[in-house]
Amino acid sequence: SLSNHYQYLVLLPQEADPQIEAARRFYGKLADGEIYYRGIELRRHDYPVFLKRFQQKLLDIILEAETVQEILRRQLGTATEYSREMLEQVLSGSIPISELCISKILRMPVERYRSLFPHVMAAVQLQEKRKCVRPGDPIDYVYVDTEAVNPMNRVAPSACADSYDKNKYAEMLLDVSESILGVFGFSRTKLGYR
């Protein structure tokens, strides 16, 4: 059955094999002008508000065009420039920490986890501060230093963080840019990154 009628649709590549398009990773503009998407960061519950807003704006810029030629001629440049501006903001440290926080549900008691996932490390830190943390609780955390030797210093509960790992969030922003714009030839190298 027909679920939607698109003005146009952008099929995104699979993450495992970029040569193959994914059936559940796409975005497009419906015939009524509404933007519709599946399988991108905007759909994730555990993604920072800042990056979701950034991705929504990229979609708005790209899908403002009426044709692929218009995207390539004008909108791709506008979206690339917007990506550059937001990247500079992230690297300057001017994004509020509240907009960079990631929230994940603690599924079991902290001591039962065998791996130090970021939300588990944040939960342990909360327990050390005598905060009650139980399964089912959302744990809000921020990446503060992903290069730290001690894994417990890589993240912090968002309420305790006073800065963020600029390079980690820049990398996440570039991932989002490539997710939306990569099909049109954009890559992080256009912004000076490997």
Side-chain angles (χ1 to χ4, degrees):
S1 70
L2 179 66
S3 60
N4 289 307
H5 184 237
Y6 293 90
Q7 185 175 338
Y8 57 86
L9 180 66
V10 179
L11 300 173
L12 300 172
Q14 288 183 2
E15 292 181 5
D17 186 354
Q19 300 301 315
I20 301 173
E21 292 159 346
R24 294 203 166 108
R25 281 192 78 227
F26 61 86
Y27 65 88
K29 185 189 254 186
L30 299 178
D32 65 4
E34 182 185 344
I35 294 173
Y36 190 79
Y37 46 83
R38 285 271 184 262
I40 62 174
E41 292 82 0
L42 261 170
R43 300 281 297 189
R44 294 181 55 176
H45 299 289
D46 63 341
Y47 225 69
V49 171
F50 171 76
L51 293 174
K52 285 183 169 188
R53 265 204 316 266
F54 169 71
Q55 190 168 51
Q56 181 65 58
K57 178 70 173 174
L58 284 182
L59 287 173
D60 292 342
I61 291 169
I62 289 297
L63 297 177
E64 189 177 289
E66 297 298 322
T67 65
V68 174
Q69 292 77 18
E70 192 177 335
I71 290 173
L72 295 173
R73 203 172 48 247
R74 191 178 67 226
Q75 300 308 101
L76 182 58
T78 303
T80 301
E81 188 52 38
Y82 178 67
S83 295
R84 183 184 320 279
E85 290 169 14
M86 293 299 102
L87 182 62
E88 288 172 6
Q89 279 191 28
V90 168
L91 292 172
S92 73
S94 64
I95 308 298
I97 288 174
S98 61
E99 292 188 17
L100 297 174
C101 117
I102 298 166
S103 187
K104 272 229 150 134
I105 301 293
L106 196 64
R107 299 282 177 212
M108 57 187 160
V110 172
E111 54 278 356
R112 288 198 36 216
Y113 281 92
R114 294 178 187 247
S115 297
L116 285 177
F117 298 109
H119 71 294
V120 175
M121 290 186 286
V124 168
Q125 291 174 44
L126 287 170
Q127 284 182 330
E128 289 173 353
K129 293 182 184 304
R130 305 268 188 243
K131 305 274 191 218
C132 181
V133 177
R134 293 184 304 262
D137 287 350
I139 305 297
D140 297 336
Y141 66 92
V142 176
Y143 288 105
V144 291
D145 184 5
T146 55
E147 299 296 317
V149 175
N150 181 347
M152 293 303 291
N153 294 333
R154 294 178 186 165
V155 300
S158 60
C160 304
D162 55 4
S163 65
Y164 61 87
D165 186 329
K166 296 171 191 163
N167 291 326
K168 173 65 176 175
Y169 285 98
E171 181 182 318
M172 291 171 76
L173 183 136
L174 291 167
D175 289 344
V176 168
S177 293
E178 286 181 338
S179 175
I180 298 300
L181 306 175
V183 71
F184 299 109
F186 173 87
S187 85
R188 60 189 68 213
T189 58
K190 293 189 187 280
L191 300 179
Y193 283 80
R194 288 184 284 150

